[in-house]
Amino acid sequence: MLDTDAWAAEEFGDAELGDLRRTKRLVQLSAEVARRPAGTVTGACELQASREGAFRWLENEAIRARDVDLARVRATLRRCRDVRRIHVPIDGTSLTLTDNKRCKNFGVVGSRKNGSRGVQVMTALALDGGTPLGILGQHMWAREQPSSRREKAPSGDVENRETRHWLELLSDVHEGVRQQAPDTEAFFQLDRGADCWPVLSCAAELDLLLTVRAAHDRRVDTEAHKLWAELQVARKRDVFRLAVPERPSVRKRRRVHGRRIQRTFHRKARIAKLVVRAQTVPILLSNGQRVTFNAVFVRESHRREDDRIEWLLLSTHPIETRADVRAIVAGYALRWRIEDFHRTWKRGLCRVEDTQLRTTQAVFKWATILASVASRAMHLTHQARATPDAPATDEFSRNEINAIIALRQPKGVKLGATPTLHQAVTWIADMGGYTGRWNGPPGPKVIGRGLESVLAAAKALTNMQKMR
């Protein structure tokens, strides 16, 4: 149900913070933020007393952000237990928080020494099909030096490179699923930033089910000697079509007359025809290790080079059948959910970068709560798309449905009716500013806006019933 108190108790109720009163305050704060998502404490907390309590809790140095994160990871793993296979996209981003260098322990964001200040984040999201179940892990840290293409440490010195966050998150999620959801299989989906020998070596050592998009033309132990050359002549395994969503700005770099230039394209929604080749390849890593991966080469036909889909995927998933190959491609296509999550968390519904907190620990705790709220909004968004004909009672309480009907006043629908989940979510989105189907199905931002009114009205109905 969308009841924010029940959701907050499930998400954070077993947090081990050293004092039950701290856990109770965390649950209360999370429920309040879920009702009124905002990037600032003053925007999310309605009453003066709750704002003061939130600031004291966030600034309490005895409460660690790591313990808050572990509580929601346990909650997500409980939801994963009934799912045979979950997809786990992992990706990093940065939170630009302030330009004031006097703020405590914030790091450099970007590639300039005098750039903005903020923190780096890497998130693992659990998906059932395409529907988010929650966050399986999140690492936050402050970068001491601006980013650069040059390595800051030798390639073998993993402990002093940010690569360690990939390894730690993969290992933590793998172990958590193995212990707390033993009947569930985690299929990791990683973008080009994870194409490095420590990650590939870790996947082989831990026997992870994993797909990573190749960024480097690696050496392979074959006659072709190079990965791309080997896959371009591999046997064609499949041809199928994939719905590609609209993306307003796609930046791509290419070499023109010996110079590297960057162009921005507006990508319209389309149905892409994809040609798939697959082959098992022995890869020679830069640390001298030889590992075997299944490589899947996906290229869009009849499309110009600048704007076509072209993926070279390295996977530990089998490729014996056409269904196996399609499972790898479909799994990697779900990786974009992590980018949707970042947009919802950073610039859409939750606006975490608006925070005015001034210490990293306070920011980490606040960002952790907002990340759970963003994941919750995405769950409702994609559940309505996955099961549009399901009754709204699958996700809403009776008072919440009555609040939706009373606020939206749909023609011919009376209080007590049970609409479909798709109808209920569309009505909520209408109240949040949804402009119509020509812009695609409603997203978390407009749904979250509409939910603020719905949850407030539902709470009023519940309180009135208790006061009778």
Side-chain angles (χ1 to χ4, degrees):
M1 296 295 182
L2 280 183
D3 182 273
T4 54
D5 294 327
W7 169 81
E10 179 190 356
E11 190 81 351
F12 296 109
D14 68 346
E16 299 174 358
L17 306 180
D19 191 318
L20 289 177
R21 291 172 295 182
R22 295 173 183 170
T23 302
K24 183 178 179 180
R25 169 56 66 181
L26 169 61
V27 172
Q28 292 173 344
L29 176 58
S30 303
E32 197 161 9
V33 175
R35 286 191 291 270
R36 296 181 55 183
T40 62
V41 175
T42 53
C45 299
E46 186 174 5
L47 302 177
Q48 178 66 24
S50 63
R51 288 194 289 269
E52 291 179 358
F55 279 120
R56 285 197 301 269
W57 186 89
L58 291 166
E59 294 169 357
N60 188 340
E61 296 181 356
I63 302 173
R64 300 189 309 163
R66 176 63 174 165
D67 294 328
V68 180
D69 179 54
L70 287 175
R72 70 169 173 189
V73 168
R74 290 192 293 269
T76 302
L77 286 169
R78 287 193 293 270
R79 291 191 284 269
C80 291
R81 288 173 183 166
D82 296 331
V83 183
R84 188 185 68 82
R85 172 182 285 181
I86 57 172
H87 290 86
V88 186
I90 301 179
D91 204 1
T93 188
S94 61
L95 302 182
T96 302
L97 300 173
T98 177
D99 291 326
N100 184 356
K101 294 185 179 180
R102 293 175 295 178
C103 295
K104 297 180 182 179
N105 301 324
F106 286 178
V108 177
V109 174
S111 58
R112 297 177 299 165
K113 287 186 177 180
N114 297 323
S116 300
R117 310 292 287 181
V119 297
Q120 310 299 315
V121 186
M122 188 169 289
T123 307
L125 189 68
L127 303 175
D128 176 11
T131 302
L133 297 175
I135 295 171
L136 282 173
Q138 197 167 52
H139 286 196
M140 303 185 194
W141 71 96
R143 178 181 284 163
E144 296 181 0
Q145 298 293 333
S147 63
S148 171
R149 291 186 180 274
R150 297 179 180 178
E151 294 290 349
K152 293 295 186 293
S155 61
D157 189 9
V158 176
E159 291 299 322
N160 292 321
R161 299 173 64 201
E162 292 189 353
T163 305
R164 70 184 186 276
H165 295 288
W166 286 103
L167 304 180
E168 291 171 1
L169 200 51
L170 280 168
S171 179
D172 290 346
V173 173
H174 172 68
E175 188 64 20
V177 172
R178 188 183 68 83
Q179 291 187 359
Q180 300 186 45
D183 296 328
T184 300
E185 183 179 51
F187 192 179
F188 296 95
Q189 307 296 325
L190 312 181
D191 202 16
R192 288 175 289 188
D195 182 17
C196 55
W197 74 259
V199 171
L200 299 181
S201 178
C202 174
E205 291 174 5
L206 296 181
D207 195 23
L208 302 179
L209 184 60
L210 173 146
T211 295
V212 57
R213 184 177 174 186
H216 308 294
D217 196 9
R218 295 187 174 277
R219 293 181 300 135
V220 295
D221 193 8
T222 64
E223 293 182 0
H225 301 300
K226 287 292 186 177
L227 182 61
W228 251 265
E230 184 72 20
L231 266 296
Q232 285 176 345
V233 296
R235 183 167 63 93
K236 186 186 296 186
R237 298 291 298 272
D238 197 7
V239 177
F240 69 97
R241 299 182 185 276
L242 179 71
V244 180
E246 180 181 13
R247 181 177 291 180
S249 59
V250 179
R251 295 178 182 176
K252 291 197 174 184
R253 294 182 178 90
R254 61 177 302 194
R255 190 174 295 277
V256 178
H257 302 303
R259 297 175 57 191
R260 291 188 65 84
I261 64 172
Q262 179 172 287
R263 297 177 61 186
T264 301
F265 300 91
H266 178 88
R267 189 179 73 186
K268 296 182 179 180
R270 66 178 187 275
I271 303 297
K273 182 181 178 181
L274 303 179
V275 178
V276 184
R277 303 176 186 273
Q279 183 173 317
T280 300
V281 291
I283 297 175
L284 302 175
L285 301 181
S286 57
N287 69 336
Q289 186 178 1
R290 184 180 185 273
V291 294
T292 301
F293 275 80
N294 293 322
V296 177
F297 187 52
V298 182
R299 174 179 283 177
E300 184 177 3
S301 62
H302 309 300
R303 195 80 180 177
R304 68 185 185 188
E305 183 179 354
D306 288 333
D307 195 31
R308 74 184 178 198
I309 292 175
E310 183 174 306
W311 305 334
L312 202 163
L313 308 177
L314 300 176
S315 184
T316 58
H317 191 284
I319 56 171
E320 295 177 2
T321 67
R322 179 179 294 182
D324 288 337
V325 174
R326 286 199 177 187
I328 294 174
V329 177
Y332 181 75
L334 292 176
R335 196 203 63 81
W336 273 267
R337 288 287 187 271
I338 195 76
E339 296 184 9
D340 294 339
F341 163 78
H342 286 155
R343 282 192 291 270
T344 304
W345 184 38
K346 293 170 60 175
R347 296 183 296 276
L349 177 66
C350 295
R351 305 184 301 279
V352 64
E353 293 180 316
D354 291 349
T355 180
Q356 297 175 337
L357 297 169
R358 289 295 180 257
T359 65
T360 51
Q361 278 300 306
V363 167
F364 288 174
K365 286 179 280 190
W366 181 241
T368 298
I369 294 172
L370 286 175
S372 289
V373 172
S375 173
R376 174 177 178 265
M378 286 187 62
H379 170 82
L380 178 61
T381 301
H382 290 284
Q383 189 65 35
R385 299 177 189 178
T387 58
D389 297 327
T393 49
D394 285 358
E395 294 289 335
F396 299 92
S397 68
R398 172 47 56 187
N399 278 347
E400 288 163 351
I401 295 174
N402 285 338
I404 295 169
I405 295 172
L407 291 170
R408 178 62 173 73
Q409 296 181 329
K411 186 176 181 181
V413 180
K414 298 181 179 180
L415 289 177
T418 302
T420 65
L421 184 57
H422 171 75
Q423 288 175 322
V425 170
T426 302
W427 294 339
I428 292 171
D430 287 342
M431 291 183 276
Y434 179 48
T435 55
R437 288 181 293 178
W438 53 86
N439 285 333
K445 186 174 182 178
V446 291
I447 292 173
R449 286 174 179 170
L451 273 177
E452 291 185 38
S453 300
V454 171
L455 294 175
K459 185 176 181 181
L461 289 174
T462 302
N463 291 342
M464 288 173 60
Q465 293 168 355
K466 292 179 180 179
M467 295 171 66
R468 288 176 181 173

